[in-house]
Each structure stands twice: as structure tokens, then as C-alpha cells.
């Protein structure tokens, strides 16, 4: 963290500084990355792709319980410039981190020195295994997605790179196929046990829509965000070392809950199969904290579906209530919030025009997501920054977004 990028005009902007100004227009970023690529590799790229980060409006810790999530892609994305090589070598340069890496396709291994390159190494191993011919590549990367802030810079990197490598191979795969492959990269090659949400939304997102995703069946639907509303993201700046161990513990507690409830609800495979009514009837058979963990997941799944219905009915007050209820449940039952997240949510709550707010992502740090009327965004962001500074002595980064489009090719050499 604390890395800096130098933009075209030579001014310095911290990649995690979400608060200052808007990112450059896409054409300027593309032109800049073309220059970076040519400087690094001595030739021009043949294709440039992009893929966005994401934020989850509601449905937290439901993905690994076979449940529902409702994310959107953000107006922050990762660009990848690429050109094919024929010598079995991959050379990669991240302008975001100002770091380079290279490897050979005949023996792709994890790198301890350049962990960021493992996302790309994994792709260059798994894509050929999936029948996509790769004989080598030069890759240059630049991103406006903040790294490690819980808005999935990792999925943006994977999906943009995957889209670029498919283009170099002059082949295509269904977006869902690429997303599943990128998830495998993250699970098997980087070693992070995540669900399918991040890659699916980074690939499939449609502008002005949320993506309702069923993490069991992988079925999805688009849900329009009503006009006049935008999404505010506020980053606590906290990255907790606890996340992995606590995450694994929560998973195990959910599995214990399923095993116990299966005694009275035969046939259930995951908490996704338990209705709120059944849970209320049988929760006395569970001991704490398993009971509270299960209560969160069961009620959260119901909240996602109710949020979708409320959005479709333009019942925004109800959407707000469900977002606050989600936060309370994550704080008290799932116990993954921290005071910084609670403070951001509460600070926004008092602002006229704020519909709802909650922590988003795994917890123990990361960001909050807030649904707010367009005309109230400045008031919201000033208020949460002020209140947070009074409590914690520093100003959190905030940014505003509307739902963005998923991964795409943004430039192609014409020859
Ligand atoms: P998140 O996905 O929430 O941002 P992760 O820890 O899952 O957090 O992924 C962040 C990691 O992904 C970074 O530490 C880095 O290794 C890699 N990464 C993401 N974007 C880039 C980029 N533009 N250049 C190089 N590495 C990147
Ligand atoms: Mg990630």
C-alpha cells in the first residue's frame, strides 16, 4: 500500500486516495498505457482491455453458503495492454506498482517475490489447460481500482488479463467460463478461497444495473438501479491480519450449523436451503455462536431477495431498512464489523438523502457501501469524512459511483 502512480501530467496521486477528483478519461488512460507498454517492451501493444472492480450492495457471507449476492461494478477499472510473443515467455509490468515480472510457460510457478504476478501466472497456466493457445505475451497493467480496499482489484486484474489473453489467442469463451477460471486462479494459484461473485460481476456487469447472482446455480439477473441514486464507497483504510483465520472460522461455524439443522430439516445442503421460518422454529437446537452465525446467513439471503423486490417496486425506504439491517446483523450476529465501519454507517445515516448504508466485503476492515440520492452525495461524503476524522484522527477515502459495464476490449490495433 502507499504506492503511487504518476499520471500523464506528472502529478502524483496515491492509488488508495479515493477522495481526490475523478480518474482521467478512458482515452487518456489508454494512450498513457500505450506509451508505458512501448517504453517497457520496445513494441506497441496489439490490444487493450479493461475490467472493473465491484462493490456488493447486499448479501454478505452468503456466497459460500450457496446463497444470493447483489453486487455492481464500479467506475474504477484495470486496463491491460497486451501483445503476443512466440518464445514461450511472459513479461508483465504493473504501472500501478511499478514492478515487473517474467516467467516461462513451460513451467509456471508461484512467485514469492512478486505476489501480484501470481494472478497473471495462474491465468497463463490455467488458460492453456482449458484449451486456449498461448505462446507467450507482453502485458502492461494500470488500474484506478484501489488495491486491498475490498472493492476487488484482484478480480479486475484477473478478468482484464483473461480478456486480453483470449483476444491474443483469437478465441473466445463465455464470460461465465472465464470468470470461473479466474476464480480458480485465485483459489488454487494465489491461495485465497473466494466465491464466484467478484469475477462474475467484473465480467458480466451492465451499466446502471445491479447483478443478482445465485451462488449455487450461477444463475443471474440484472436489476436496474433507479434513476437519481448513486453509490458512495468509504474506505476505512484498515486491513486486518485476522481476516483469513476469522473467515475460515465463520465457514466452519456455518457448516456446523447445517449439520445440526439437517437433523430436523432433512435434505438441506447449505444454509441457503433454510427459510427464515424454519430457522426461527429450530434455532433453539443450535448453540452460540453457531446459532447467531446461521441467523445472519439465513436472514441475509432473505434480505437480498427482498431488496431486489423493493428496488423493482422503487420502494427505496425499504431498501435502506434492509441495508441497515444487514449491517446490524453482520455486526452483532456474524461479528465481522469494526468500530471504523460502524462509525461510517452511523455517520451517513443522519444525512438527508441517504437511503441506506452497510459494511461491504468480508469485514474486519475494508469499505462501506451507501445508497444515496445523487443530490446528497457531497453532503454525505463531507459528513462521513468529518465524523470519521473526529473519531479516528484521519480522513477516510470516499468515492461515488454508478453501476459500470463489465469487462471489455477498449482498443485494438487496426493493422
Ligand atoms: P482486493 O481484491 O479487495 O483489492 P486482494 O488482496 O484480493 O484485495 O487483491 C489485491 C492484490 O491484487 C494486490 O495486492 C496485488 O497483488 C493484486 N493487484 C490488484 N491490482 C493490481 C495492479 N493494478 N497491479 C498489480 N497487482 C495488482
Ligand atoms: Mg480480491
Amino acid at each position: 500500500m502507499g504506492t503511487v502512480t504518476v499520471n500523464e501530467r506528472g502529478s502524483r496521486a496515491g492509488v488508495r486516495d479515493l477522495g481526490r477528483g475523478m480518474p482521467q478519461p478512458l482515452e487518456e488512460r489508454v494512450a498513457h498505457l500505450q506509451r508505458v507498454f512501448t517504453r517497457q517492451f520496445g513494441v506497441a501493444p496489439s490490444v487493450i482491455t479493461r475490467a472493473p472492480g465491484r462493490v456488493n450492495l447486499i448479501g454478505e457471507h452468503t456466497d459460500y453458503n450457496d446463497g444470493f449476492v447483489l453486487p455492481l461494478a464500479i467506475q474504477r477499472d484495470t486496463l491491460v495492454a497486451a501483445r503476443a510473443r512466440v518464445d514461450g515467455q511472459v513479461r508483465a509490468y504493473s504501472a500501478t506498482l511499478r514492478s515487473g515480472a517474467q516467467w516461462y510457460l513451460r513451467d509456471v510457478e508461484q512467485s514469492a517475490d512478486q505476489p501480484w504476478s501470481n494472478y497473471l501466472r495462474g491465468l497463463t497456466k490455467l488458460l492453456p489447460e482449458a484449451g486456449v493457445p498461448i505462446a507467450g505475451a507482453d502485458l502492461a497493467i494500470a488500474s484506478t481500482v484501489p488495491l486491498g480496499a475490498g472493492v476487488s482489484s484482484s478480480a479486475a486484474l484477473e478478468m482484464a488479463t483473461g480478456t486480453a489473453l483470449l483476444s491474443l489467442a483469437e478465441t473466445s469463451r463465455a464470460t461465465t467460463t472465464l470468470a470461473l477460471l479466474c476464480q480458480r486462479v485465485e483459489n488454487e494459484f494465489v491461495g485465497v478461497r473466494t466465491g464466484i461473485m467478484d469475477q462474475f460481476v467484473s465480467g458480466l456487469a451492465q451499466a446502471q444495473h445491479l447483478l443478482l447472482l445465485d451462488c449455487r446455480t450461477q444463475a443471474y439477473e440484472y436489476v436496474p438501479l433507479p434513476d437519481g441514486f448513486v453509490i458512495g464507497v468509504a474506505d476505512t483504510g484498515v486491513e486486518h491480519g485476522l481476516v483469513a483465520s476469522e473467515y475460515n472460522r465463520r465457514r466452519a461455524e456455518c457448516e456446523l450449523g447445517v449439520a445440526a439443522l439437517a437433523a430436523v430439516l432433512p435434505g438441506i445442503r447449505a444454509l441457503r436451503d433454510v427459510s427464515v421460518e424454519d430457522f426461527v422454529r429450530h434455532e433453539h437446537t443450535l448453540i452460540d455462536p453457531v446459532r447467531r452465525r446461521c441467523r445472519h446467513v439465513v436472514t441475509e439471503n432473505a434480505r437480498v431477495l427482498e431488496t431486489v423486490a423493493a428496488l423493482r417496486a422503487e420502494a427505496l425506504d425499504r431498501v435502506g431498512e434492509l441495508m441497515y439491517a444487514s449491517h446490524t446483523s453482520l455486526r452483532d450476529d456474524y461479528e465481522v464489523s469494526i468500530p471504523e465501519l460502524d462509525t461510517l454507517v452511523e455517520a451517513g445515516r443522519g444525512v438527508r438523502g441517504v437511503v441506506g448504508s452497510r459494511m461491504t466485503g468480508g469485514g474486519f476492515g475494508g469499505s462501506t457501501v451507501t445508497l444515496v440520492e445523487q443530490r446528497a452525495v457531497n453532503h454525505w461524503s463531507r459528513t462521513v469524512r468529518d465524523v470519521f476524522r473526529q473519531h479516528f484522527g484521519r480522513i477516510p477515502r470516499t468515492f461515488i459511483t454508478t453501476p459500470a459495464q463489465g469487462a471489455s476490449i477498449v482498443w485494438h490495433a487496426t493493422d
Side-chain angles (χ1 to χ4, degrees), residues 342-362:
D342 300 339
T343 300
L344 287 170
V345 169
E346 284 310 313
R349 197 170 195 150
V351 175
R352 207 189 158 107
V354 167
V355 174
S357 183
R358 53 181 287 279
M359 58 160 278
T360 184

Side-chain angles (χ1 to χ4, degrees), residues 54 119 148 150-156 158 186 192 194 198-199:
R54 63 94 189 97
Y119 298 90
V151 290
S152 210
S153 67
S154 59
E158 292 151 12
E186 194 138 345
V192 183
T194 52
D198 299 358
Q199 292 82 7

Side-chain angles (χ1 to χ4, degrees), residues 108-146:
V108 185
E109 282 182 3
Q110 275 159 296
S111 162
D113 298 339
Q114 288 123 347
W116 65 269
S117 69
N118 287 330
Y119 298 90
L120 316 187
R121 288 172 198 261
L123 276 166
T124 62
K125 189 178 168 74
L126 294 193
L127 276 170
E129 286 174 17
V132 176
I134 301 177
D138 287 335
L139 303 165
I141 297 139
S143 186
T144 54
V145 186

